[in-house]
Amino acid sequence: MKTNLTWLNDYLDQAISLDQQAVADLAEQVARTSVEVDSVTTLAQQQDGLVVAEVVSVVPHPDSDHMVITQVNIGEPELIQVVTGAPNVAEGQLVVLAKVGAHIVNHETGELVTLSAANLRGEVSHGMLVALQEIGFDNKIAPKDFEAGIYVFGPNDGVHPGDDALVALGMTDPVMDTDLTPNRADMLSMIGTAYEFGAMLNQPVTEPAFDLVEYETLARDQVNVVIDDASLAPKYALRVVNDVTVGDSPLWLQKILWNAGMRPINNIVDITNYMMLMYGQPLHAFDLDKLSGQTIHVRRAMADEQLVTLDDKTRELRAGEDIVIATADEPLMLAGVMGGASSEVDHTTRHIVLEGAVFNPSLVRATARRHNLHSEASARFERGVNWDATFTALDHAAHLVDDLAGGQVARGLVVAADTDYATVIMPLTAARVNQILGTTLTLKDIAGIFDQLAFTYQIEADTIQVTLPARRPDMRIEADLIEEIARLYGYDNLPVTLPYGPTTPGHLTLRQRQIRASRRIMESLGLNQAISYVLTTPEKAQQFAENPGEKVVALDYPMSSDRTTVRQNLLAGLLEDVVYNVNHGVANVALYEQGRIFIANAPDTLPTEMEHLAGVLSGTRATSTWQQDKTEKTVDFYDMKGVVAQYLAQMGVDEVRYEATKRHQNMHPGQTADIYSGDVYLGFVGQLHPQVTQAHKLAPVFGFELNLFAVMAQVQTGVHYAPISRFPQMSRDAALLVDDTVEHADIVALIRQTAGDKLVDIQLFDVYTGDKLPAGKRSLAYTLTYQDNDETLVEAEVNADFERVTAALIAQFHVAVR
């Protein structure tokens, strides 16, 4: 909010000093007591040498078809000759002259320029008649386009030749730009800000006074209102003003608007914006003659309705959700957000309807987001406006239209809704305040602070009953009042005390420790952590999901078209990371991600959140060097499976088995396995389907995804590390001729089941298939390693164990021991 301190002084009993140091001190006090101050600036920075000049004569330039020679009066004995190409210059005008030596702003580059006398086709120009853009105004706030020509003061603007133009234009007014928190809606108005400054400076506030004169014509004979649903607008009224003359606003009003960062349009529109800045109450003006019929409806949008808003964009309205102000034939505006072009006030307007209302803040907020149309009006309606000021602002605006546009205010306020503000009286005791703040304030001290705030109260015994004002919609509970006391008493004045009460040492839960351990293990296995967006597209959300046909969880108001749905897997995000790395010249990729996925539930029910862990490998195992073989080995299924096996082993998950599967549609049907611990499903591992990787022009990519909740549930005890045995190992090799249908995992499982407790390791060291073996057979060679932690092994014991294993293999799988 841009607060013009010169304007603010109109409402304070004692004017604020506007010298540079006093303003800096005030900004410091505001930052300590109220809200953050972004900056204190003026429209005039380093500009100077600008004066008000009267155009005495205008004659054509003898050697130019577009320039003229003017003689201007700046209050000095001699007239000054200025050559200009301004299309709108005329005798008798009061304009802005940049004298020789003045500093002005180049409107194209923004650079400060020093003006010197110039010879323009044989005629000397001793200065320059300027447009506002040439002296520091942005196009967004200048009332006329640069091409329209120089700025011309109005006949009633109260300026004279020789006046300092910077002062006359309000460019030296200090403007404090505050960064308001969402709860301080009151400071989106000058009156609300005045009450805040008055509280800090302990000064009373004088609200503006006006005298509304109504004429004989009745407003209800020209317009009436129907509200379909009382919840749309708890307060709504109209005023009619006839026979207005639309034109430029006087200088005092334009100065207020452009110092607030708003562009003057015309006197009617400017008055509504002025009221919004003064009261925090947005108003809107309709051209009465452009309305089809006398009845205005406040309703929800209907199916297939469109509205061209004042920014000349066609809006597709959402039926049943957007609030619109409409006639019987068409919508006129998005209520609380922006008006429509069909009823816009322009220079042909003769009769207007002024609207003042309080709209449902939730619906206004939803409409502004839906249409990406955040306006000054919607910002105020969303946060809450002062119910007590709605009709006051409407009457004040009608008075100003009468005064500035020559209108005649029709008799009567056309009221469609006037719901009373729900007044809250909050009891408060000094004991409670001192308990919270650690102070020793008396009830009289507290009452003095509420006097500063201009809050109404009654003291009953040891309790002060405070009436929460409508102008402060952020005041709702006892803590809000105590906060007001604390900040006006001074946060720096609050006593410093140590916290009291029992202390609880912080620690991580078991689940948090396991999740952190998962990340450490993945990194120890050579994978780097990746973090992907939780929001994605519906297709990617289900790409590697366990049940890809399930309903997805979509956002009502997504940021963009590719971030509409919450993810149901992590592999899709990791695949995007692989694509990104490969496209940037990184061929060898080893990544993991730990994060949450979201599974849809019944409508109007929050999704189920599950913690997952996923990883990908692509490229080669290691880069070749002069010390190694130049033939690089690409990663394969067993590299990925090894990562999973090591992770589960280090997490303490026992009885892990892998079952080949074809059920994952985006995984290779011949190189994918489901992972189980006992009968509990943990996840899957395998190669991403070649069709998926080829679509991105990738080498084979291998990945896994585990349900961390399921993994952690299978960790019965922590992992314990045993000392290395001092006794030697013994090993036995077994070459087995087996059927092709027998899986390696089944053989290992049987060996572990039948071997004794001295078996510590099983390694498959050779696989052979070829013409020398019978059809349908293959040779698998294993090394079984035995060791005892307490004594040296006896060979007879190892031989007996080994024979028991081979006998079991022969009986179960009909193997031939070679």
Side-chain angles (χ1 to χ4, degrees), residues 383-402:
R383 290 164 173 80
V385 297
N386 181 0
W387 285 39
D388 289 350
T390 300
F391 295 165
T392 302
L394 187 60
D395 289 346
H396 196 165
H399 159 74
L400 287 173
V401 173
D402 184 354

Side-chain angles (χ1 to χ4, degrees), residues 273-307:
N273 286 332
Y274 176 49
M275 292 296 96
M276 179 176 67
L277 293 174
M278 180 186 294
Y279 291 98
Q281 172 65 56
L283 303 177
H284 188 73
F286 302 97
D287 186 324
L288 179 60
D289 295 327
K290 293 179 182 178
L291 305 183
S292 56
Q294 289 185 318
T295 302
I296 289 179
H297 297 266
V298 182
R299 59 172 174 80
R300 296 177 188 266
M302 296 187 292
D304 302 322
E305 277 193 315
Q306 293 182 332
L307 172 67

Side-chain angles (χ1 to χ4, degrees), residues 222-241:
Q222 303 179 66
V223 68
N224 59 77
V225 187
V226 175
I227 300 179
D228 291 356
D229 181 351
S231 68
L232 302 181
K235 289 178 74 75
Y236 193 94
L238 301 175
R239 272 208 175 272
V240 177
V241 187

Side-chain angles (χ1 to χ4, degrees), residues 373-387:
L373 191 59
H374 299 280
S375 63
E376 292 283 350
S378 68
R380 287 164 172 81
F381 281 124
E382 289 174 26
R383 290 164 173 80
V385 297
N386 181 0
W387 285 39

Side-chain angles (χ1 to χ4, degrees), residues 13 20 272 408 538 547 590 778:
D13 189 49
Q20 187 173 0
T272 62
Q408 297 183 358
N547 300 298
R778 59 177 175 169

Side-chain angles (χ1 to χ4, degrees), residues 461-501:
D462 62 346
T463 301
I464 183 168
Q465 303 282 351
V466 184
T467 302
L468 305 184
R471 62 181 168 82
R472 289 294 301 272
D474 58 314
M475 294 287 102
R476 284 292 177 266
I477 59 177
E478 177 190 77
D480 295 329
L481 288 178
I482 295 176
E483 181 183 8
E484 293 298 290
I485 295 169
R487 66 188 188 84
L488 288 176
Y489 178 72
Y491 292 124
D492 292 344
N493 297 324
L494 295 177
V496 178
T497 59
L498 293 174
Y500 62 91

